[in-house]
Amino acid sequence: MTTPAALLESGRTLGVIGSGVMGQTLIKGLLEAGLVTRRQIWATAKTQESCDEVAETLGITAVRDYREAAATAGIILVCVKPAQIGAVSAVLRESSLRADVLMISILAGVSTERLESLLRPAENDGPRPVWVRAIPNTPCVVRQGMTAICGGSDATARHLALAERIFSSVGRCTVVEEHYCNAITALSGSGPAYMYLMMEALADAGVRVGLRRHVALELVAQTMLGSARMVLDTGRHPASLRDDVTTPAGCTIGGLLMLEDGKIRSVLARAVEEATRIVEQLGKAAKAG
Ligand SMILES: NC(=O)c1ccc[n+]([C@@H]2O[C@H](COP(=O)([O-])OP(=O)(O)OC[C@H]3O[C@@H](n4cnc5c(N)ncnc54)[C@H](OP(=O)(O)O)[C@@H]3O)[C@@H](O)[C@H]2O)c1
């Protein structure tokens, strides 16, 4: 068995700019997967209080002024809110970033074109950082996330492979073309919220037929988890797996027909369509702003 190459070249660090929910999740995933050591990683947040909390809970260096740290970075993960990217890029422009630093953004709706423009050299002809854009989701917290990544104009297969290793430490990761990003944000980025709504509704249904709520919720959550595993592990079409559960004249077909009467398929499709439309609008507003 060959040992995978180190994520970072010798002496380089991995920086995490913005160590809130997603930033901390990625730091934990990277540490637990052994992709970086605590000495190789640094983080930053807006306030000193947040930096102190991150340093204390994760046992890594967390500094408010990260200009010096940024100069040592081989990879920088940008995990601030989209509205904060202007302030971050102003600091990065003051830092002596290495020419071959890989920048990875998880900012919803911010294109690689926009990200590249933020750190473009004044003369527009010097080296500029390579960007990879990622769309993770919150189950990364329990290392069951789904992340899609795409490369900016200078990203190579090696850059994408590095990003893939990072996000695979907190779940599954797939490489896509950037024009799919809005649809992915609406489907798997927002997806956990749709699943929670369905779980809540099914738990209510369990209560309606006489189950205690905590029992109903456990039954529903594990059923959703198990069904997802069946799809991923067997590679079978969901319709074929559904057929296995649906016995002739049984109760399942009765329940399924009620769901079809309620137009569940088109309601779900319309929900994702609407979310995609809103992400597109947010992206346009961010570009104009
Ligand atoms: N949450 C999700 O479901 C999800 C899913 C996919 C992608 N995303 C993307 O992930 C990004 C982060 O989301 P989140 O939920 O992790 O946000 P969050 O919990 O609010 O964390 C934001 C972090 O950024 C820090 N920060 C703010 N301004 C900064 C600045 N100027 N310089 C350095 N750090 C700064 C904050 O520090 P303080 O604590 O000191 O304010 C905080 O640590 C967003 O762009 C979002 O689009 C989120």
Side-chain angles (χ1 to χ4, degrees):
M1 208 173 84
T2 53
T3 317
L7 193 70
L8 294 166
E9 284 174 29
S10 167
R12 301 290 178 89
T13 60
L14 185 146
V16 179
I17 300 178
S19 35
V21 175
M22 295 306 287
Q24 288 195 39
T25 293
L26 289 168
I27 295 169
K28 282 182 205 155
L30 286 163
L31 290 171
E32 279 170 28
L35 285 175
V36 287
T37 62
R38 285 193 157 72
R39 290 165 68 90
Q40 286 176 308
I41 196 162
W42 55 268
T44 185
K46 190 174 183 183
T47 59
Q48 187 60 46
E49 201 185 348
S50 296
C51 287
D52 292 345
E53 195 201 312
V54 168
E56 164 100 24
T57 52
L58 299 178
I60 60 167
T61 301
V63 286
R64 264 195 77 203
D65 183 349
Y66 53 96
R67 283 172 298 183
E68 221 172 277
T72 68
I75 300 174
I76 294 180
L77 288 171
V78 184
C79 305
V80 295
K81 294 282 189 196
Q84 292 146 358
I85 187 62
V88 168
S89 56
V91 175
L92 289 174
R93 280 196 299 270
E94 287 173 15
S95 317
S96 307
L97 289 180
R98 303 189 69 113
D100 58 356
V101 65
L102 169 61
M103 304 290 303
I104 301 177
S105 157
I106 66 162
L107 276 59
V110 182
S111 68
T112 55
E113 188 188 0
R114 168 107 203 281
L115 294 164
E116 283 163 1
S117 74
L118 291 168
L119 294 184
R120 189 161 284 153
E123 302 304 324
N124 213 9
D125 58 358
R128 57 180 189 183
V130 170
W131 281 92
V132 166
R133 177 179 172 191
I135 307 163
N137 64 13
T138 49
C140 287
V141 171
V142 289
R143 300 183 77 182
Q144 292 294 331
M146 183 67 234
T147 304
I149 57 172
C150 62
S153 46
D154 300 321
T156 63
R158 189 183 72 83
H159 297 119
L160 287 168
L162 286 171
E164 210 172 348
R165 286 177 69 192
I166 290 173
F167 291 100
S168 296
S169 74
V170 286
R172 295 169 80 98
C173 183
T174 188
V175 180
V176 297
E177 289 168 41
E178 188 160 14
H179 60 91
Y180 291 121
C181 282
N182 288 339
I184 290 168
T185 304
L187 187 63
S188 57
S190 303
Y194 311 147
M195 303 299 160
Y196 299 137
L197 182 72
M198 281 190 264
M199 276 192 248
E200 192 194 339
L202 283 169
D204 270 349
V207 173
R208 176 75 184 95
V209 292
L211 297 171
R212 294 173 68 132
R213 179 166 298 279
H214 71 278
V215 175
L217 194 53
E218 184 185 1
L219 294 170
V220 167
Q222 179 59 28
T223 302
M224 194 171 262
L225 192 66
S227 308
R229 273 259 70 93
M230 288 288 281
V231 171
L232 291 173
D233 290 358
T234 65
R236 285 173 59 196
H237 193 288
S240 157
L241 290 165
R242 201 182 62 218
D243 278 351
D244 291 348
V245 195
T246 317
T247 47
C251 60
T252 309
I253 187 68
L256 284 170
L257 289 175
M258 290 303 284
L259 288 170
E260 298 285 9
D261 283 353
K263 297 194 168 62
I264 186 159
R265 281 171 206 269
S266 61
V267 165
L268 289 173
R270 298 280 172 246
V272 174
E273 199 176 33
E274 173 66 359
T276 307
R277 192 187 62 75
I278 295 171
V279 181
E280 277 164 9
Q281 277 183 350
L282 292 174
K284 279 183 199 150
K287 209 169 180 179

